[in-house]
Amino acid sequence: ELHKENIRRKFGVGKDDFLLLFVGWEFKRKGLAVIISSLSYLEKRVKILVVGPDEPGPYQRLARDLEVQDRVIFVGARSETERFYAASDVFCLPTSYEPFALVIIEAMASGIPVIVSKIAGGADLIENRESGFLLEDHQDPKEIAEKVSVLMKDSKLKHKMEENGRAVAEEYSWKRMARRVLEVYEEVAKKKKM
């Protein structure tokens, strides 16, 4: 809770604001423009926190053109991303291509709902409306806005996605994956001895 309040206060996000989080580089491919455009369809208390090293200029211009510039916060590259997950209400990644997005698992492990394109690597871990939302059309800002609105209004669904997402992420923890790899090696070693 302390991280949440510290980060929000530091970047001018109010207690009643609903904070979307975008983490990544290659803003264009990962759909940042679509998330910014979705703000036009959402309440003014919805803001986006953008964590990543890409050039913000074109996205700041887009936000100004849409008159939502005061709702888009660029923080640059950060190493302590877990603090930003903790401070946010929803993680959003409407990527057009992503082999495997570790950020999706990180967001789920942090206990925030995810809204990702169904073509993103890692999307197959998400059961739609259970452990996150999958976007049918990752280039449609209205669809993102609809999913965000649902989570803003339905705290039971949001809580269910938080819990289910965390459980899914635990299945893919480094410790568990390492244990599974070790089990496979042991199986192979046993078969070679036979």
Side-chain angles (χ1 to χ4, degrees):
E1 279 302 299
L2 187 64
H3 280 324
K4 180 173 185 154
E5 291 186 11
N6 284 346
I7 290 285
R8 289 173 81 104
R9 195 176 315 115
K10 182 176 180 177
F11 294 104
V13 179
K15 219 157 73 169
D16 295 329
D17 288 338
F18 195 85
L19 190 59
L20 307 182
L21 178 65
F22 174 93
V23 176
W25 50 285
E26 290 190 45
F27 291 172
K28 183 176 182 178
R29 176 172 59 88
K30 295 189 178 176
L32 179 56
V34 185
I35 305 171
I36 292 171
S37 298
S38 76
L39 289 179
S40 300
Y41 304 98
L42 288 160
E43 295 176 35
K44 290 201 182 328
R45 68 186 185 99
V46 179
K47 294 183 176 177
I48 303 168
L49 195 60
V50 181
V51 180
D54 218 342
E55 170 52 45
Y59 303 93
Q60 290 168 325
R61 280 191 293 282
L62 171 64
R64 271 195 306 276
D65 291 347
L66 296 171
E67 298 178 1
V68 295
Q69 68 272 15
D70 56 331
R71 296 164 59 194
V72 183
I73 305 152
F74 291 90
V75 299
R78 298 294 174 125
S79 57
E80 71 287 3
T81 51
E82 69 280 354
R83 295 176 65 203
F84 292 93
Y85 290 116
S88 302
D89 295 296
V90 173
F91 175 78
C92 198
L93 187 73
T95 185
S96 58
Y97 169 75
E98 189 70 32
F100 187 82
L102 191 58
V103 289
I104 295 172
I105 295 282
E106 289 174 352
M108 292 168 81
S110 298
I112 60 172
V114 298
I115 300 174
V116 301
S117 47
K118 67 179 185 179
I119 57 173
D124 52 336
L125 304 177
I126 298 165
E127 190 178 337
N128 199 32
R129 292 191 69 87
E130 292 294 319
S131 52
F133 272 127
L134 296 173
L135 297 166
E136 288 299 316
D137 181 357
H138 65 279
Q139 296 180 320
D140 181 4
K142 282 185 184 168
E143 186 181 356
I144 292 173
E146 285 166 13
K147 305 236 181 313
V148 170
S149 293
V150 166
L151 291 170
M152 289 175 75
K153 291 181 184 114
D154 190 342
S155 58
K156 265 191 183 151
L157 177 64
K158 184 176 182 291
H159 184 69
K160 178 175 84 168
M161 283 186 181
E162 290 165 353
E163 295 296 311
N164 291 343
R166 193 177 284 125
V168 168
E170 283 172 10
E171 291 289 313
Y172 294 90
S173 71
W174 288 115
K175 192 183 271 184
R176 187 171 281 192
M177 297 301 274
R179 196 175 322 123
R180 182 68 191 116
V181 168
L182 200 56
E183 287 168 6
V184 170
Y185 282 141
E186 287 169 355
E187 276 177 46
V188 169
K190 280 181 195 168
K191 286 180 181 171
K192 285 207 181 228
K193 285 181 182 174
M194 291 178 165

